[in-house]
Amino acid sequence: MTGEAAHTAYPSPMPPERAPGDDGTETVVVTAEQAAREQALVEQVIASFDGTESPRLRQLMQALVRHLHAFAREARLTEAEWEAAIGFLTDAGHITTDTRQEFVLLSDTLGLSMQTIAINNEAYRDATEATVFGPFFVEGAPLINNGEDLAFGAAGQPCWVEGRVTDTEGRPVHGARIEVWEADEDGFYDVQYADGRTAARAHLFSEEDGSYRFWGITPTPYPIPYDGPVGAMLQAVGRSPMRTSHLHFMVSAAQFRTLVTHIFVDGCDYLERDSVFGVKESLIKDFALQSAGTPTPDGRDLGDREWARVRFDIVLAPAAGEREQDLHRVAVQDSRQEGKRS
Ligand code: BEZ
Ligand code: FE
C-alpha cells in the first residue's frame, strides 16, 4: 500500500440458489377495475404537465411519469419498498460531496450512463468509440511533452503508450489535446488520497503527424467506491464493484467531436463483468509485457523492471455540423444508387 486510503475486503455473495425456472417472484393478478384506476392516475399525472412551456421539458416529464408508473405497476411496488427506495436516495444524497457523486455511481452501475453515451455518440464511420467518463477526471492536470512520464511517482509497472490521432479519412490531427488519467497499482486515483498529490494524470498534444507517446503505468482492476448505498445495492444483488483494468482518455481538437474513452487490458479477468458496463470490444488492447532488460523505445533505463507497451490509434469524428452534412451526403448518394437500380 502506498497511501492512507484502503479498500476493505469485498465479500462476493453468491445469488441464492433457486430451482430452475423459479425466479422467486410472485405473479399478481390485477382486476380490470383496478388496472383502470391505476391507468386513470397515470393519465391524470401526465396531463398535469400539458401546460409546460418548454416542449422538451414537457416531453421529459411526461415520459418519466409514464415509465415510473409502469415500473411501479409492473413490479407491484409495495409501500415498504417505496420507502426503502426513498431511504436509498436520501443516503445517496447524504454521502454525495464535491468529490463523491453517488448519483453518478448509481447511474453508472444501472447502465444508464453507458446508455446515454450510446444515444449521444452514435457510431460514425471508424471513429473511436466512447465510453464512460467516471468521477476521477480533474481539470488542469499537468502538461507533459511527448515521451515524458505521467506517473509522477504513482506506484505501478511502467507502460509505454503510443499512437496517432487522425480523422476518419486517416489524415493526421495536429495539436489534439490528449488528457490521460488512471489509477495506481493499488487501485486508487490521486484524488482518493488525502495528501493532495497529483499523479498518474497529465495532458499532452499530438504532433504534426498526429503521433503521441508517453510513459504511464500498466492499468490494474479496482473497485468503484462501494462504501455507500450503491455498494450496498451491489452487494445485495451479488454484483462485484470491480472495474476492469483501463486507462482513461479525453481527446479534443477544433472541428472534431470530443472523445471520452478508455482502453482496456486484453486478458483482464473483469472484461466480461465491468461494474459500469463500459467495455467495448474495439477498445480492448494488447498491453504487451516486456521482460526486464528489453530496450525501451526512448532508451529509458528501467533497470531490472518489467514494463509493458500498448498502441492506441485514435480516430476522431467531425463536429456535429460536419457529421450531419456528411450523413446527408451519404443518404443522397444511397437514394441515387437506389434510383438507378429500380
Ligand atoms: C472510473 O473509471 O474511474 C469510474 C467509472 C465509473 C464509476 C466509478 C469509477
Ligand atoms: Fe477509472
Side-chain angles (χ1 to χ4, degrees):
M1 277 298 307
T2 52
E4 309 98 81
H7 302 305
T8 48
Y10 177 78
S12 178
M14 296 300 291
E17 281 194 18
R18 293 204 177 104
D22 169 12
D23 71 357
T25 58
E26 276 174 50
T27 307
V28 177
V29 179
V30 177
T31 63
E33 193 193 348
Q34 171 67 15
R37 264 202 307 158
E38 293 172 6
Q39 186 56 31
L41 176 61
V42 178
E43 282 161 21
Q44 188 188 356
V45 181
I46 287 177
S48 76
F49 293 98
D50 280 350
T52 307
E53 204 173 319
S54 152
R56 178 62 176 159
L57 181 59
R58 186 187 331 122
Q59 182 188 18
L60 289 172
M61 294 311 299
Q62 292 185 329
L64 180 66
V65 167
R66 202 174 316 115
H67 289 273
L68 277 177
H69 283 246
F71 159 73
R73 295 175 72 195
E74 180 195 314
R76 306 314 298 166
L77 188 69
T78 68
E79 286 168 303
E81 287 162 347
W82 177 84
E83 264 175 44
I86 297 292
F88 177 90
L89 293 174
T90 306
D91 291 346
H94 285 157
I95 203 170
T96 294
T97 64
D98 286 351
T99 53
R100 168 72 183 261
Q101 233 306 349
E102 197 72 2
F103 293 101
V104 173
L105 284 185
L106 180 60
S107 164
D108 293 342
T109 51
L110 296 182
L112 182 60
S113 306
M114 281 305 290
Q115 191 65 272
T116 309
I117 288 164
I119 293 165
N120 290 282
N121 294 267
E122 60 186 31
Y124 180 85
R125 298 177 179 236
D126 61 345
T128 302
E129 292 189 278
T131 189
V132 65
F133 193 44
F136 297 120
F137 172 74
V138 175
E139 292 281 355
L143 170 67
I144 58 166
N145 293 313
N146 272 289
E148 288 182 345
D149 191 351
L150 59 70
F152 296 112
Q157 179 185 72
C159 181
W160 176 256
V161 184
E162 65 188 342
R164 273 180 87 219
V165 185
T166 61
D167 67 10
T168 51
E169 304 292 332
R171 293 175 295 226
V173 178
H174 178 205
R177 182 185 176 106
I178 306 170
E179 298 271 358
V180 186
W181 65 107
E182 59 177 328
D184 65 18
E185 70 176 7
D186 294 317
F188 294 106
Y189 287 83
D190 52 2
V191 290
Q192 293 177 286
Y193 292 97
D195 57 12
R197 71 183 71 175
T198 296
R201 68 176 71 243
H203 72 280
L204 64 159
F205 292 93
S206 57
E207 294 187 340
E208 211 167 323
D209 61 353
S211 68
Y212 72 91
R213 66 206 74 85
F214 60 87
W215 282 102
I217 53 183
T218 309
T220 50
Y222 67 87
I224 63 169
Y226 60 88
D227 56 345
V230 170
M233 179 273 285
L234 292 177
Q235 186 160 10
V237 300
R239 270 177 55 186
S240 158
M242 295 303 286
R243 287 228 60 203
T244 191
S245 319
H246 61 273
L247 177 57
H248 291 262
F249 281 80
M250 178 160 68
V251 187
S252 52
Q255 320 294 332
F256 291 94
R257 177 168 78 185
T258 294
L259 171 69
V260 173
T261 197
H262 317 338
I263 49 174
F264 298 95
V265 178
D266 196 9
C268 178
D269 287 347
Y270 293 96
L271 276 174
E272 307 286 320
R273 50 199 165 110
D274 182 41
S275 55
V276 302
F277 309 97
V279 179
K280 289 182 171 165
E281 192 65 34
S282 68
L283 300 173
I284 302 173
K285 303 289 170 194
D286 179 24
F287 283 68
L289 183 64
Q290 312 291 311
S291 53
T294 307
T296 55
D298 60 348
R300 180 180 179 185
D301 181 5
L302 289 170
D304 59 0
R305 300 179 74 187
E306 290 182 329
W307 56 283
R309 66 184 302 165
V310 63
R311 182 166 186 95
F312 178 36
D313 291 317
I314 298 165
V315 181
L316 295 181
E322 178 58 31
R323 264 192 337 268
E324 272 155 27
Q325 279 174 22
D326 186 49
L327 291 173
H328 177 72
R329 275 195 294 273
V330 171
V332 169
Q333 268 169 13
D334 284 356
S335 68
R336 283 198 186 128
Q337 303 263 328
E338 197 58 35
K340 273 188 203 152
R341 272 198 294 272
S342 56

